[in-house]
Amino acid sequence: MTVSRAFKTPDRVADSLRERIQAAARDLGYLPNRAASQLASARSMTIAVLIPSLTNTVFIDTVAGIHQVMHPEGYQILIGVTGYSGDGEERLLETYLEYNPDGLLLTGLGHSAATWTRLRGLSIPTVHMMELSDRPDIYAVGLSQIEGGQAITRRLIERGYRRIGFVAAQLDERTIRRGEGYRRAMQDAGLYDANLELLSPEPSSIGFGAELLDRMLVQAPDCDALFFCND
């Protein structure tokens, strides 16, 4: 029991005794068996985190924040990259649920029907990141992408710009909603022109952003400001 405490709650074991136990473990090459511990406690001490990309710094920073909160509490995170694919998210969710995670963090609300069905049957805490929901049965942390798109566009209009272009790649659900916010703000100001929009389903990147900038300047050379879907 004391050895178990030395590994699980080391602050509850005297320093000298804990050091002796750790020295013995090193000599024996012993490592705690996480699988056996899960069976005994019914807890895995893991949190599954599904994000769409590791090339977008927003998601890297998000994972770093999750780690900063979870690690001191003894939790490890299982990171899955969906590639903005509904099918990919379904497969990752099925795989990670086999590890019996204690919690689940998902990106956005645009899940497939199969994923929503699976989520409704879960008994573990599940939180959706990056967006907000009006549904009382959904825990969500984020912002309204539509209102964000409106706020950015209105700010540009307030600064005197009139031919404001919207450039978007990837066309995931959050990008589409930002575009909707842009469109609403331009329409409210009587400035909307479909020729000021440039949308591409190709994956976003810094290089592709430069390419889309060139395309936009050919498509609408009189634009005086640009709203890119991300940085």
Side-chain angles (χ1 to χ4, degrees):
M1 187 178 295
T2 302
V3 171
S4 178
R5 285 201 188 101
F7 284 104
K8 292 182 179 179
T9 54
D11 56 311
R12 297 178 59 190
V13 178
D15 292 344
S16 59
L17 182 55
R18 185 178 65 252
E19 291 170 2
R20 286 171 54 199
I21 292 171
Q22 291 173 343
R26 286 193 297 270
D27 291 343
L28 295 170
Y30 170 78
L31 290 173
N33 188 314
R34 179 62 64 89
S37 177
Q38 289 178 21
L39 289 173
S41 67
R43 297 178 65 190
S44 66
M45 299 305 293
T46 60
I47 304 293
V49 181
L50 301 188
I51 57 175
S53 169
L54 280 175
T55 61
N56 189 325
T57 58
V58 168
F59 299 115
I60 296 174
D61 290 343
T62 299
V63 169
I66 294 168
H67 174 76
Q68 288 171 9
V69 173
M70 294 297 182
H71 184 68
E73 300 298 327
Y75 287 93
Q76 301 297 322
I77 56 177
L78 302 172
I79 303 171
V81 180
T82 68
Y84 293 94
S85 165
D87 291 340
E89 184 180 57
E90 282 181 33
R91 290 192 295 270
L92 279 171
L93 181 61
E94 293 290 333
T95 298
Y96 282 5
L97 287 177
E98 293 177 3
Y99 289 89
N100 190 33
D102 293 327
L104 181 63
L105 294 172
L106 302 173
T107 303
L109 298 167
H111 312 302
S112 68
T115 294
W116 277 118
T117 298
R118 173 64 69 181
L119 293 176
R120 282 193 291 270
L122 295 180
S123 59
I124 60 173
T126 301
V127 177
H128 303 262
M129 307 180 291
M130 306 291 178
E131 294 189 52
L132 298 178
S133 173
D134 295 328
R135 288 176 49 179
D137 60 327
I138 291 178
Y139 291 98
V141 177
L143 69 150
S144 167
Q145 301 290 336
I146 293 176
E147 290 180 10
Q150 286 178 302
I152 290 172
T153 309
R154 286 172 182 158
R155 178 61 174 160
L156 290 171
I157 293 172
E158 290 169 0
R159 290 174 65 92
Y161 298 105
R162 293 295 177 265
R163 299 288 291 168
I164 304 167
F166 179 72
V167 181
Q170 197 76 60
L171 304 188
D172 60 273
E173 185 174 356
R174 287 171 299 286
T175 294
I176 291 171
R177 289 180 176 173
R178 285 174 216 144
E180 184 178 341
Y182 156 83
R183 205 167 298 117
R184 289 183 186 180
M186 292 291 281
Q187 290 169 344
D188 290 344
L191 299 173
Y192 180 70
D193 179 351
N195 195 52
L196 290 170
E197 289 192 48
L198 179 57
L199 312 178
S200 172
E202 295 182 50
S204 62
S205 69
I206 292 175
F208 191 48
E211 182 181 329
L212 290 178
L213 171 59
D214 289 341
R215 289 191 206 172
M216 190 66 190
L217 293 177
V218 171
Q219 178 175 308
D222 62 336
C223 68
D224 55 8
L226 285 175
F227 176 171
F228 279 88
C229 68
N230 65 47
D231 60 356

